[in-house]
Structures are given as structure tokens and as C-alpha cells.
Amino acid sequence: MALTDVNILFVEDDPIFRQVVADFLQGQGARVQQACNGSEGLTLFSDKIFDIVIADLGLPVLGGLPMLKQMQSINPAVPFVVISGNDVMSDVVEALRIGASDYLTKPIADLFVIEHAITQAMLTAAMPLNVAGQSHLHEMNELSYQELTDNLQLLEQNVQAAKSVQQQLFPASHVNYPNAVIDYSLFKNNDISAYFIDSTMVGERHLVMYMAHFHPEDNSAAFGCVLLRSFVNQKLKLFRNGLSTTLIEPGNMLGYLHKRMVRSGLHILTDIVYVCIDLQQRVVAVGQAGNGLRCYLRHDNHLMPLVLPSALQLGDVNWHQVGVQRRELQLGEKLCIGTYHHQQHRQQLLDNRFTGLIYQSDIDAGGFMQLTCQA
């Protein structure tokens, strides 16, 4: 059976749903420990060894998110799948942020969806044994997209829900990292921004940053942000567990993101500039898909565009992997990503006006982000 001898911790406060799911998983060969609240779940997790955690986010005593964050600090190698109602999408976003492998939405009519989510999460977290195993893992490591599609429909129908979800994902306008600072401004003309930026430390010496532009420019762009963040989080978790270096390889990362976008079936096309910088050597590697965004080197008030190989947008079935530009940042140089041929954005950048994400009807949608290395 698919789940033979898999040790599962299932934390759910609804006793009927909890027992039905536990019986189903045990029928598939798994060993299931049940907890009715977050505090009980955390105690079991601390005392026993589990292969995976499935948790409702709306738990009493100790909420699902605080519980999962504490579990991550105890053993970050254990994958987890979250279950949520449609009215708490902000919690879903935060769960993806801290590394959830997948999320499911109630009501769950087909319990095999849970089995599939567990299988994929286990494959993602598994240590590959050989080259053939790595290839198999790469092909099998997919999200459960029925839940993604269901929630895309929710966001398409509810502007306020889409706006709330997207707002949760954007960082502050000024982010300090060891030896680096990220600043940005994004301007939106509607409730939903078709543009997204993010950055994160990867280990002790690498930092990745990216800017994306989603098409179509409607509510689905909010879900494009969720997709992109969840895909990056999966690779970040694998890196931290010593299982993959894809996250710091822009060419391979763009290939991975493209494949995931196509397999999502959501028909989202994405312009993106993806950058990894080695903060110790000040060497940057830059990859690009689509033509709507550009990467620049900044010297004081002069912007010099980097020449990158042209490529189709991520999600285009004809997309093919492209080359990556590598170069060393010189003293005083800054790296910028921005929307192409927008003089208003360029001037805001040169004036060092970093505002984060704002609504502004008199400025074209789009913006810029800037990386400044520090000694």
C-alpha cells in the first residue's frame, strides 16, 4: 500500500473528521497518531518520531500556525501539510511562507487527495539515493493542484480575498540582511498588483532576489504570487536539508519554476528576473524569462542594463532554458531589477524613493527593487 509504515501525526479538532481521515490513512497502511489541539500535537511531536504532520490551521488551545512554527524549530526536516477553510487564506499564505509542502481546503470530498498530498510531500523531503532516484524525485515532486485550482476560483470571484492574500506576501520596503540591504517600490493601479518581489537568505552566504510580472493582470495574479512563493519555499527547504542547490542556480531555478507553472494548469504567464548573489565573493548570477523586466547595475545616478539571453515567459509551453550572466559587483555598484522603459519608475529609483507596495493611479503599474552590498 502507498502509505505502508508511514508515521503520521494528524492534528484536527473535529473528532468526526479526524477519525474518518485517520481510519482511511490506516487503511492505506499508515500509522496515525491523533491530536485534538495544537498543544497536544506539539507534545506528541516532541516525544515521538513522525514522517509527516497533517494539521488543521484552526486549532484550539494552540493555533495551527504557532504549533507548526514550534515544530519547525524542533525538527525542520519533517514535512507538513495544512488543512484550511476558505475564509482563512492569510493563514494559508503564512503556512506556505514557513514551508508547508501543500495545503488542502475543507470540505475534502475525496480522501485520496490527502493520500496524494502526503505522497508528494514525502517525495519532496526524501533523500535521493542515486542519479536515477534524483530524476524520479524531480518528476514526481508535484503539488496537489486540485486545491490550488479551487482556491484560484475563490480569488477570481472575490477581489477582497485576493487583495488580502497578496498583501500578506509582500515584505517591508526596506529589508536588512547580513552584508546586504533590499529596497523596493511597486506601484499598483488596481486592487491587485500584477507585480511581485521577494528575497531571502539561502544559507549563510547566498541571497536570492526576484521580481515577477504575472499575466493576465487580474485576480489570478494574486494566486500567481502564492504559487511562486510556495515553489521557492519548497526549494529553500530542500537546500536547508542539504538535498538541493537549485535555489542558488538561476538557470535551473527558472527551469523548475517554468515546469511548475505549466503543470499547474492555471495558464499564468510570468516575466521574471531571478538573481543569486554570493555575499562573500560579491558574485551575482542573473537569469531572465520574458521581456517586461530588466536587470541593471547602478553607479550613483547611472543605470547600465545587463545584457541577458532573451527567453519566453515562464508558463509558455515553448519556453526553453536560457543562459545566465555572472559578474562580480564592484565597490559602490548596486544591482537593480525594474520594469522596462518606464521613465517614472527610473526617476523614483534614482531619487532613492522606496515606498514598498502602494496604490498610485498617476504612475504606471510596476516598479523596481535594489540590492546594496555592505562591507
Side-chain angles (χ1 to χ4, degrees):
M1 288 179 279
L3 301 181
T4 299
D5 296 329
V6 174
N7 290 310
I8 299 173
L9 173 58
F10 183 34
V11 191
E12 166 63 56
D13 62 323
D14 182 334
I16 297 176
F17 179 66
R18 186 176 67 243
Q19 192 60 54
V20 168
V21 173
D23 289 345
F24 169 77
L25 295 176
Q26 288 168 347
Q28 301 304 109
R31 294 190 288 263
V32 182
Q33 287 279 319
Q34 301 180 45
C36 64
N37 59 59
S39 179
E40 184 178 327
L42 187 61
T43 298
L44 285 172
F45 187 85
S46 301
D47 292 343
K48 299 183 180 181
I49 296 175
F50 295 96
D51 297 309
I52 189 168
V53 175
I54 307 172
D56 193 314
L57 292 179
L59 295 172
V61 184
L62 177 65
L65 281 174
M67 179 195 72
L68 291 170
K69 289 177 181 178
Q70 292 186 51
M71 288 179 176
Q72 285 282 285
S73 67
I74 296 171
N75 188 352
V78 178
F80 60 94
V81 173
V82 299
I83 299 175
S84 171
N86 287 338
D87 57 342
V88 286
M89 286 298 293
S90 61
D91 285 349
V92 170
V93 171
E94 181 61 19
L96 291 171
R97 184 190 295 274
I98 65 174
S101 298
D102 202 350
Y103 71 93
L104 312 177
T105 57
K106 291 181 177 178
I108 300 175
D110 184 357
L111 295 181
F112 283 98
V113 168
I114 300 178
E115 179 186 11
H116 177 75
I118 293 170
T119 301
Q120 300 309 315
M122 295 284 292
L123 286 170
T124 300
M127 174 72 78
L129 300 178
N130 49 46
V131 174
Q134 290 179 13
S135 175
H136 179 68
L137 176 64
H138 183 73
E139 293 178 1
M140 291 294 291
N141 176 19
E142 300 180 17
L143 287 174
S144 176
Y145 285 109
Q146 184 59 51
E147 291 72 40
L148 299 182
T149 303
D150 291 344
N151 282 284
L152 176 60
Q153 293 171 355
L154 168 71
L155 297 182
E156 287 178 333
Q157 296 164 8
N158 189 328
V159 173
Q160 192 57 43
K163 180 180 178 181
S164 175
V165 167
Q166 189 180 61
Q167 195 71 39
Q168 295 283 332
L169 289 173
F170 278 94
S173 62
H174 178 86
V175 182
N176 281 300
Y177 291 108
N179 303 318
V181 172
I182 300 287
D183 298 287
Y184 81 96
S185 289
L186 278 183
F187 309 102
K188 63 178 183 177
N189 306 143
N190 300 299
D191 287 316
I192 306 301
S193 171
Y195 294 85
F196 180 61
I197 71 100
D198 200 16
S199 61
T200 186
M201 285 295 298
V202 185
E204 296 181 355
R205 63 184 290 175
H206 292 96
L207 184 150
V208 299
M209 57 185 277
Y210 57 89
M211 181 172 176
H213 181 200
F214 300 104
H215 308 266
E217 295 183 336
D218 56 19
N219 289 5
S220 62
F223 207 73
C225 297
V226 175
L227 276 178
L228 190 57
R229 170 63 69 77
S230 68
F231 297 153
V232 171
N233 276 353
Q234 287 186 34
K235 287 301 182 186
L236 180 60
K237 190 170 185 179
L238 290 175
F239 182 93
R240 288 173 174 170
N241 290 319
L243 303 179
S244 172
T245 59
T246 299
L247 195 64
I248 61 174
E249 301 163 350
N252 291 333
M253 190 63 186
L254 290 181
Y256 164 77
L257 293 175
H258 163 71
K259 182 174 290 188
R260 287 310 191 90
M261 287 294 185
V262 170
R263 290 182 177 178
S264 74
L266 299 180
H267 307 295
I268 296 175
L269 299 177
T270 310
D271 293 287
I272 186 171
V273 173
Y274 186 95
V275 176
C276 176
I277 178 167
D278 183 326
L279 293 173
Q280 293 182 7
Q281 299 182 357
R282 298 172 65 92
V283 173
V284 297
V286 184
Q288 177 179 311
N291 297 311
L293 302 172
R294 288 292 186 272
C295 189
Y296 303 88
L297 292 177
R298 179 180 178 182
H299 303 264
D300 297 323
N301 286 331
H302 176 68
L303 293 175
M304 181 184 74
L306 289 180
V307 179
L308 295 166
S310 62
L312 298 172
Q313 297 166 312
L314 299 185
D316 190 310
V317 294
N318 296 313
W319 188 87
H320 61 278
Q321 197 129 345
V322 297
V324 170
Q325 163 129 204
R326 289 179 173 82
R327 64 171 295 148
E328 182 178 351
L329 282 183
Q330 301 302 311
L331 194 62
E333 280 187 334
K334 300 177 181 180
L335 190 74
C336 304
I337 307 172
T339 37
Y340 190 45
H341 284 328
H342 282 275
Q343 186 58 39
Q344 292 171 304
H345 302 165
R346 179 189 181 97
Q347 193 57 54
Q348 293 258 354
L349 170 60
L350 295 178
D351 291 342
N352 295 313
R353 296 176 62 184
F354 302 109
T355 58
L357 176 67
I358 61 171
Y359 176 88
Q360 194 151 344
S361 59
D362 60 340
I363 296 181
D364 291 333
F368 47 84
M369 62 189 307
Q370 176 175 276
L371 166 71
T372 304
C373 289
Q374 299 174 324

mmCIF file of all heavy atoms in Angstrom, residues 332-370:
data_model
loop_
_atom_site.group_PDB
_atom_site.id
_atom_site.type_symbol
_atom_site.label_atom_id
_atom_site.label_comp_id
_atom_site.label_asym_id
_atom_site.label_seq_id
_atom_site.Cartn_x
_atom_site.Cartn_y
_atom_site.Cartn_z
ATOM 1 N N GLY A 332 30.770 49.915 -4.612
ATOM 2 C CA GLY A 332 29.870 51.016 -4.914
ATOM 3 C C GLY A 332 28.769 50.670 -5.898
ATOM 4 O O GLY A 332 27.821 51.451 -6.064
ATOM 5 N N GLU A 333 28.859 49.519 -6.569
ATOM 6 C CA GLU A 333 27.809 49.111 -7.509
ATOM 7 C C GLU A 333 26.600 48.548 -6.759
ATOM 8 O O GLU A 333 26.753 47.850 -5.759
ATOM 9 C CB GLU A 333 28.322 48.049 -8.478
ATOM 10 C CG GLU A 333 29.125 48.584 -9.631
ATOM 11 C CD GLU A 333 29.470 47.507 -10.650
ATOM 12 O OE1 GLU A 333 29.541 46.319 -10.260
ATOM 13 O OE2 GLU A 333 29.667 47.851 -11.816
ATOM 14 N N LYS A 334 25.442 48.833 -7.297
ATOM 15 C CA LYS A 334 24.212 48.264 -6.781
ATOM 16 C C LYS A 334 23.519 47.513 -7.909
ATOM 17 O O LYS A 334 23.674 47.863 -9.081
ATOM 18 C CB LYS A 334 23.293 49.356 -6.234
ATOM 19 C CG LYS A 334 23.921 50.160 -5.104
ATOM 20 C CD LYS A 334 23.014 51.274 -4.640
ATOM 21 C CE LYS A 334 23.673 52.090 -3.532
ATOM 22 N NZ LYS A 334 22.803 53.189 -3.045
ATOM 23 N N LEU A 335 22.781 46.481 -7.541
ATOM 24 C CA LEU A 335 22.051 45.683 -8.533
ATOM 25 C C LEU A 335 20.572 46.013 -8.441
ATOM 26 O O LEU A 335 19.994 45.980 -7.349
ATOM 27 C CB LEU A 335 22.279 44.190 -8.288
ATOM 28 C CG LEU A 335 21.776 43.254 -9.380
ATOM 29 C CD1 LEU A 335 22.700 43.328 -10.585
ATOM 30 C CD2 LEU A 335 21.676 41.827 -8.882
ATOM 31 N N CYS A 336 19.959 46.319 -9.577
ATOM 32 C CA CYS A 336 18.551 46.712 -9.599
ATOM 33 C C CYS A 336 17.771 45.855 -10.591
ATOM 34 O O CYS A 336 18.306 45.426 -11.617
ATOM 35 C CB CYS A 336 18.401 48.182 -9.991
ATOM 36 S SG CYS A 336 19.313 49.338 -8.937
ATOM 37 N N ILE A 337 16.501 45.610 -10.282
ATOM 38 C CA ILE A 337 15.553 44.988 -11.205
ATOM 39 C C ILE A 337 14.382 45.942 -11.343
ATOM 40 O O ILE A 337 13.894 46.476 -10.335
ATOM 41 C CB ILE A 337 15.052 43.625 -10.689
ATOM 42 C CG1 ILE A 337 16.220 42.694 -10.346
ATOM 43 C CG2 ILE A 337 14.144 42.959 -11.712
ATOM 44 C CD1 ILE A 337 15.791 41.407 -9.641
ATOM 45 N N GLY A 338 13.914 46.150 -12.569
ATOM 46 C CA GLY A 338 12.817 47.081 -12.719
ATOM 47 C C GLY A 338 12.018 46.846 -13.982
ATOM 48 O O GLY A 338 12.420 46.088 -14.870
ATOM 49 N N THR A 339 10.855 47.488 -14.051
ATOM 50 C CA THR A 339 10.032 47.434 -15.247
ATOM 51 C C THR A 339 10.739 48.187 -16.371
ATOM 52 O O THR A 339 11.417 49.184 -16.148
ATOM 53 C CB THR A 339 8.647 48.031 -14.976
ATOM 54 O OG1 THR A 339 8.779 49.150 -14.083
ATOM 55 C CG2 THR A 339 7.753 47.026 -14.313
ATOM 56 N N TYR A 340 10.555 47.709 -17.570
ATOM 57 C CA TYR A 340 11.322 48.163 -18.719
ATOM 58 C C TYR A 340 10.706 49.415 -19.334
ATOM 59 O O TYR A 340 9.502 49.479 -19.568
ATOM 60 C CB TYR A 340 11.379 47.025 -19.750
ATOM 61 C CG TYR A 340 12.319 47.242 -20.899
ATOM 62 C CD1 TYR A 340 13.599 47.730 -20.683
ATOM 63 C CD2 TYR A 340 11.937 46.939 -22.193
ATOM 64 C CE1 TYR A 340 14.477 47.898 -21.741
ATOM 65 C CE2 TYR A 340 12.805 47.098 -23.263
ATOM 66 C CZ TYR A 340 14.080 47.593 -23.024
ATOM 67 O OH TYR A 340 14.944 47.770 -24.065
ATOM 68 N N HIS A 341 11.549 50.409 -19.619
ATOM 69 C CA HIS A 341 11.137 51.628 -20.327
ATOM 70 C C HIS A 341 10.036 52.400 -19.606
ATOM 71 O O HIS A 341 9.079 52.865 -20.221
ATOM 72 C CB HIS A 341 10.649 51.290 -21.743
ATOM 73 C CG HIS A 341 11.767 50.981 -22.689
ATOM 74 N ND1 HIS A 341 13.004 51.567 -22.602
ATOM 75 C CD2 HIS A 341 11.807 50.148 -23.753
ATOM 76 C CE1 HIS A 341 13.781 51.118 -23.575
ATOM 77 N NE2 HIS A 341 13.077 50.244 -24.282
ATOM 78 N N HIS A 342 10.112 52.508 -18.278
ATOM 79 C CA HIS A 342 9.182 53.344 -17.524
ATOM 80 C C HIS A 342 9.982 54.470 -16.877
ATOM 81 O O HIS A 342 10.626 54.269 -15.847
ATOM 82 C CB HIS A 342 8.437 52.535 -16.457
ATOM 83 C CG HIS A 342 7.316 51.695 -17.005
ATOM 84 N ND1 HIS A 342 6.058 52.200 -17.217
ATOM 85 C CD2 HIS A 342 7.274 50.405 -17.391
ATOM 86 C CE1 HIS A 342 5.275 51.244 -17.706
ATOM 87 N NE2 HIS A 342 5.999 50.141 -17.822
ATOM 88 N N GLN A 343 9.953 55.640 -17.475
ATOM 89 C CA GLN A 343 10.766 56.747 -17.002
ATOM 90 C C GLN A 343 10.393 57.168 -15.592
ATOM 91 O O GLN A 343 11.247 57.542 -14.780
ATOM 92 C CB GLN A 343 10.629 57.944 -17.952
ATOM 93 C CG GLN A 343 11.551 59.115 -17.616
ATOM 94 C CD GLN A 343 13.021 58.713 -17.621
ATOM 95 O OE1 GLN A 343 13.448 57.931 -18.470
ATOM 96 N NE2 GLN A 343 13.787 59.214 -16.655
ATOM 97 N N GLN A 344 9.085 57.076 -15.248
ATOM 98 C CA GLN A 344 8.655 57.441 -13.899
ATOM 99 C C GLN A 344 9.310 56.539 -12.860
ATOM 100 O O GLN A 344 9.783 57.006 -11.820
ATOM 101 C CB GLN A 344 7.136 57.344 -13.782
ATOM 102 C CG GLN A 344 6.366 58.387 -14.589
ATOM 103 C CD GLN A 344 4.877 58.073 -14.580
ATOM 104 O OE1 GLN A 344 4.455 56.985 -14.966
ATOM 105 N NE2 GLN A 344 4.074 59.032 -14.155
ATOM 106 N N HIS A 345 9.336 55.258 -13.146
ATOM 107 C CA HIS A 345 9.946 54.314 -12.207
ATOM 108 C C HIS A 345 11.443 54.568 -12.095
ATOM 109 O O HIS A 345 12.015 54.544 -10.993
ATOM 110 C CB HIS A 345 9.709 52.873 -12.670
ATOM 111 C CG HIS A 345 8.262 52.537 -12.805
ATOM 112 N ND1 HIS A 345 7.824 51.420 -13.492
ATOM 113 C CD2 HIS A 345 7.142 53.152 -12.348
ATOM 114 C CE1 HIS A 345 6.507 51.372 -13.447
ATOM 115 N NE2 HIS A 345 6.072 52.411 -12.762
ATOM 116 N N ARG A 346 12.072 54.802 -13.228
ATOM 117 C CA ARG A 346 13.515 55.052 -13.245
ATOM 118 C C ARG A 346 13.859 56.268 -12.372
ATOM 119 O O ARG A 346 14.811 56.221 -11.582
ATOM 120 C CB ARG A 346 13.958 55.275 -14.690
ATOM 121 C CG ARG A 346 15.443 55.573 -14.861
ATOM 122 C CD ARG A 346 15.709 55.985 -16.302
ATOM 123 N NE ARG A 346 17.108 56.255 -16.543
ATOM 124 C CZ ARG A 346 17.961 55.381 -17.064
ATOM 125 N NH1 ARG A 346 17.537 54.176 -17.391
ATOM 126 N NH2 ARG A 346 19.224 55.698 -17.252
ATOM 127 N N GLN A 347 13.065 57.322 -12.497
ATOM 128 C CA GLN A 347 13.354 58.524 -11.725
ATOM 129 C C GLN A 347 13.143 58.297 -10.236
ATOM 130 O O GLN A 347 13.919 58.787 -9.401
ATOM 131 C CB GLN A 347 12.477 59.677 -12.215
ATOM 132 C CG GLN A 347 12.936 61.049 -11.695
ATOM 133 C CD GLN A 347 14.377 61.351 -12.069
ATOM 134 O OE1 GLN A 347 14.743 61.285 -13.253
ATOM 135 N NE2 GLN A 347 15.203 61.656 -11.069
ATOM 136 N N GLN A 348 12.101 57.560 -9.886
ATOM 137 C CA GLN A 348 11.866 57.238 -8.476
ATOM 138 C C GLN A 348 13.042 56.457 -7.907
ATOM 139 O O GLN A 348 13.481 56.688 -6.775
ATOM 140 C CB GLN A 348 10.581 56.421 -8.337
ATOM 141 C CG GLN A 348 9.312 57.185 -8.671
ATOM 142 C CD GLN A 348 8.550 57.635 -7.442
ATOM 143 O OE1 GLN A 348 8.901 57.299 -6.320
ATOM 144 N NE2 GLN A 348 7.500 58.400 -7.654
ATOM 145 N N LEU A 349 13.561 55.524 -8.695
ATOM 146 C CA LEU A 349 14.710 54.736 -8.251
ATOM 147 C C LEU A 349 15.929 55.629 -8.049
ATOM 148 O O LEU A 349 16.606 55.552 -7.009
ATOM 149 C CB LEU A 349 15.013 53.638 -9.274
ATOM 150 C CG LEU A 349 16.325 52.852 -9.093
ATOM 151 C CD1 LEU A 349 16.340 52.143 -7.744
ATOM 152 C CD2 LEU A 349 16.509 51.850 -10.227
ATOM 153 N N LEU A 350 16.220 56.474 -9.011
ATOM 154 C CA LEU A 350 17.399 57.342 -8.921
ATOM 155 C C LEU A 350 17.269 58.360 -7.785
ATOM 156 O O LEU A 350 18.277 58.835 -7.255
ATOM 157 C CB LEU A 350 17.633 58.053 -10.253
ATOM 158 C CG LEU A 350 18.002 57.139 -11.428
ATOM 159 C CD1 LEU A 350 18.156 57.943 -12.709
ATOM 160 C CD2 LEU A 350 19.273 56.350 -11.133
ATOM 161 N N ASP A 351 16.021 58.664 -7.413
ATOM 162 C CA ASP A 351 15.787 59.560 -6.275
ATOM 163 C C ASP A 351 15.773 58.806 -4.944
ATOM 164 O O ASP A 351 15.535 59.423 -3.889
ATOM 165 C CB ASP A 351 14.453 60.298 -6.443
ATOM 166 C CG ASP A 351 14.486 61.313 -7.569
ATOM 167 O OD1 ASP A 351 15.593 61.704 -7.997
ATOM 168 O OD2 ASP A 351 13.395 61.699 -8.047
ATOM 169 N N ASN A 352 15.998 57.477 -5.006
ATOM 170 C CA ASN A 352 16.002 56.637 -3.794
ATOM 171 C C ASN A 352 14.696 56.750 -3.013
ATOM 172 O O ASN A 352 14.680 56.794 -1.782
ATOM 173 C CB ASN A 352 17.183 57.010 -2.880
ATOM 174 C CG ASN A 352 18.514 56.709 -3.523
ATOM 175 O OD1 ASN A 352 18.730 55.633 -4.076
ATOM 176 N ND2 ASN A 352 19.431 57.678 -3.479
ATOM 177 N N ARG A 353 13.598 56.732 -3.747
ATOM 178 C CA ARG A 353 12.270 56.791 -3.120
ATOM 179 C C ARG A 353 11.707 55.368 -3.069
ATOM 180 O O ARG A 353 11.138 54.866 -4.036
ATOM 181 C CB ARG A 353 11.362 57.728 -3.901
ATOM 182 C CG ARG A 353 11.846 59.174 -3.895
ATOM 183 C CD ARG A 353 10.975 60.076 -4.761
ATOM 184 N NE ARG A 353 9.595 60.130 -4.264
ATOM 185 C CZ ARG A 353 8.621 60.789 -4.878
ATOM 186 N NH1 ARG A 353 8.872 61.434 -6.007
ATOM 187 N NH2 ARG A 353 7.397 60.786 -4.377
ATOM 188 N N PHE A 354 11.878 54.719 -1.932
ATOM 189 C CA PHE A 354 11.456 53.334 -1.756
ATOM 190 C C PHE A 354 10.246 53.302 -0.820
ATOM 191 O O PHE A 354 10.351 53.645 0.354
ATOM 192 C CB PHE A 354 12.604 52.492 -1.206
ATOM 193 C CG PHE A 354 13.822 52.496 -2.075
ATOM 194 C CD1 PHE A 354 14.975 53.156 -1.673
ATOM 195 C CD2 PHE A 354 13.816 51.872 -3.308
ATOM 196 C CE1 PHE A 354 16.112 53.167 -2.481
ATOM 197 C CE2 PHE A 354 14.936 51.879 -4.134
ATOM 198 C CZ PHE A 354 16.082 52.530 -3.719
ATOM 199 N N THR A 355 9.127 52.893 -1.347
ATOM 200 C CA THR A 355 7.861 53.002 -0.613
ATOM 201 C C THR A 355 7.186 51.663 -0.354
ATOM 202 O O THR A 355 6.110 51.630 0.248
ATOM 203 C CB THR A 355 6.884 53.898 -1.394
ATOM 204 O OG1 THR A 355 6.675 53.333 -2.700
ATOM 205 C CG2 THR A 355 7.448 55.309 -1.545
ATOM 206 N N GLY A 356 7.762 50.543 -0.840
ATOM 207 C CA GLY A 356 7.053 49.280 -0.754
ATOM 208 C C GLY A 356 5.934 49.232 -1.773
ATOM 209 O O GLY A 356 5.979 49.887 -2.816
ATOM 210 N N LEU A 357 4.889 48.455 -1.490
ATOM 211 C CA LEU A 357 3.747 48.336 -2.386
ATOM 212 C C LEU A 357 2.722 49.422 -2.062
ATOM 213 O O LEU A 357 2.241 49.497 -0.929
ATOM 214 C CB LEU A 357 3.101 46.956 -2.249
ATOM 215 C CG LEU A 357 1.825 46.722 -3.056
ATOM 216 C CD1 LEU A 357 2.129 46.720 -4.552
ATOM 217 C CD2 LEU A 357 1.171 45.403 -2.647
ATOM 218 N N ILE A 358 2.386 50.261 -3.060
ATOM 219 C CA ILE A 358 1.403 51.315 -2.830
ATOM 220 C C ILE A 358 0.462 51.418 -4.031
ATOM 221 O O ILE A 358 0.829 51.059 -5.156
ATOM 222 C CB ILE A 358 2.058 52.690 -2.571
ATOM 223 C CG1 ILE A 358 2.890 53.141 -3.786
ATOM 224 C CG2 ILE A 358 2.903 52.660 -1.319
ATOM 225 C CD1 ILE A 358 3.383 54.571 -3.674
ATOM 226 N N TYR A 359 -0.736 51.917 -3.763
ATOM 227 C CA TYR A 359 -1.678 52.238 -4.841
ATOM 228 C C TYR A 359 -1.424 53.674 -5.278
ATOM 229 O O TYR A 359 -1.409 54.590 -4.457
ATOM 230 C CB TYR A 359 -3.115 52.092 -4.349
ATOM 231 C CG TYR A 359 -4.150 52.506 -5.381
ATOM 232 C CD1 TYR A 359 -4.627 51.585 -6.309
ATOM 233 C CD2 TYR A 359 -4.624 53.814 -5.433
ATOM 234 C CE1 TYR A 359 -5.556 51.964 -7.264
ATOM 235 C CE2 TYR A 359 -5.553 54.198 -6.376
ATOM 236 C CZ TYR A 359 -6.014 53.258 -7.293
ATOM 237 O OH TYR A 359 -6.924 53.630 -8.240
ATOM 238 N N GLN A 360 -1.205 53.865 -6.582
ATOM 239 C CA GLN A 360 -0.971 55.209 -7.098
ATOM 240 C C GLN A 360 -1.453 55.264 -8.539
ATOM 241 O O GLN A 360 -0.852 54.669 -9.435
ATOM 242 C CB GLN A 360 0.514 55.577 -6.999
ATOM 243 C CG GLN A 360 0.782 57.048 -7.184
ATOM 244 C CD GLN A 360 2.026 57.520 -6.426
ATOM 245 O OE1 GLN A 360 2.525 56.831 -5.539
ATOM 246 N NE2 GLN A 360 2.494 58.695 -6.767
ATOM 247 N N SER A 361 -2.530 55.985 -8.758
ATOM 248 C CA SER A 361 -3.181 55.984 -10.066
ATOM 249 C C SER A 361 -2.434 56.796 -11.115
ATOM 250 O O SER A 361 -2.617 56.578 -12.313
ATOM 251 C CB SER A 361 -4.611 56.508 -9.938
ATOM 252 O OG SER A 361 -4.610 57.829 -9.414
ATOM 253 N N ASP A 362 -1.573 57.735 -10.694
ATOM 254 C CA ASP A 362 -0.899 58.600 -11.652
ATOM 255 C C ASP A 362 0.475 58.090 -12.071
ATOM 256 O O ASP A 362 1.208 58.786 -12.776
ATOM 257 C CB ASP A 362 -0.776 60.016 -11.092
ATOM 258 C CG ASP A 362 0.013 60.062 -9.792
ATOM 259 O OD1 ASP A 362 0.142 59.006 -9.139
ATOM 260 O OD2 ASP A 362 0.490 61.151 -9.428
ATOM 261 N N ILE A 363 0.850 56.889 -11.641
ATOM 262 C CA ILE A 363 2.108 56.260 -12.043
ATOM 263 C C ILE A 363 1.791 54.897 -12.628
ATOM 264 O O ILE A 363 0.962 54.161 -12.089
ATOM 265 C CB ILE A 363 3.083 56.116 -10.852
ATOM 266 C CG1 ILE A 363 3.492 57.505 -10.333
ATOM 267 C CG2 ILE A 363 4.328 55.329 -11.251
ATOM 268 C CD1 ILE A 363 4.474 57.461 -9.174
ATOM 269 N N ASP A 364 2.436 54.565 -13.730
ATOM 270 C CA ASP A 364 2.207 53.268 -14.355
ATOM 271 C C ASP A 364 2.481 52.140 -13.372
ATOM 272 O O ASP A 364 3.382 52.232 -12.528
ATOM 273 C CB ASP A 364 3.120 53.093 -15.575
ATOM 274 C CG ASP A 364 2.735 54.019 -16.715
ATOM 275 O OD1 ASP A 364 1.557 54.394 -16.796
ATOM 276 O OD2 ASP A 364 3.629 54.373 -17.510
ATOM 277 N N ALA A 365 1.717 51.054 -13.490
ATOM 278 C CA ALA A 365 1.942 49.883 -12.638
ATOM 279 C C ALA A 365 3.336 49.317 -12.903
ATOM 280 O O ALA A 365 3.837 49.341 -14.025
ATOM 281 C CB ALA A 365 0.882 48.830 -12.906
ATOM 282 N N GLY A 366 3.937 48.800 -11.858
ATOM 283 C CA GLY A 366 5.297 48.251 -11.961
ATOM 284 C C GLY A 366 6.169 48.830 -10.874
ATOM 285 O O GLY A 366 5.675 49.284 -9.831
ATOM 286 N N GLY A 367 7.477 48.839 -11.103
ATOM 287 C CA GLY A 367 8.366 49.382 -10.092
ATOM 288 C C GLY A 367 9.767 48.839 -10.199
ATOM 289 O O GLY A 367 10.234 48.476 -11.289
ATOM 290 N N PHE A 368 10.434 48.726 -9.055
ATOM 291 C CA PHE A 368 11.858 48.377 -9.049
ATOM 292 C C PHE A 368 12.259 47.877 -7.669
ATOM 293 O O PHE A 368 11.596 48.151 -6.665
ATOM 294 C CB PHE A 368 12.687 49.608 -9.416
ATOM 295 C CG PHE A 368 12.270 50.842 -8.663
ATOM 296 C CD1 PHE A 368 12.738 51.116 -7.388
ATOM 297 C CD2 PHE A 368 11.359 51.731 -9.218
ATOM 298 C CE1 PHE A 368 12.332 52.236 -6.687
ATOM 299 C CE2 PHE A 368 10.938 52.867 -8.534
ATOM 300 C CZ PHE A 368 11.430 53.116 -7.263
ATOM 301 N N MET A 369 13.358 47.129 -7.620
ATOM 302 C CA MET A 369 13.969 46.733 -6.375
ATOM 303 C C MET A 369 15.481 46.901 -6.507
ATOM 304 O O MET A 369 16.021 46.837 -7.606
ATOM 305 C CB MET A 369 13.606 45.297 -5.980
ATOM 306 C CG MET A 369 14.063 44.222 -6.932
ATOM 307 S SD MET A 369 13.396 42.563 -6.556
ATOM 308 C CE MET A 369 13.846 42.337 -4.832
ATOM 309 N N GLN A 370 16.154 47.106 -5.386
ATOM 310 C CA GLN A 370 17.586 47.401 -5.412
ATOM 311 C C GLN A 370 18.312 46.631 -4.327
ATOM 312 O O GLN A 370 17.858 46.591 -3.173
ATOM 313 C CB GLN A 370 17.811 48.904 -5.217
ATOM 314 C CG GLN A 370 19.271 49.321 -5.131
ATOM 315 C CD GLN A 370 19.420 50.824 -5.049
ATOM 316 O OE1 GLN A 370 19.411 51.516 -6.061
ATOM 317 N NE2 GLN A 370 19.550 51.355 -3.833
#
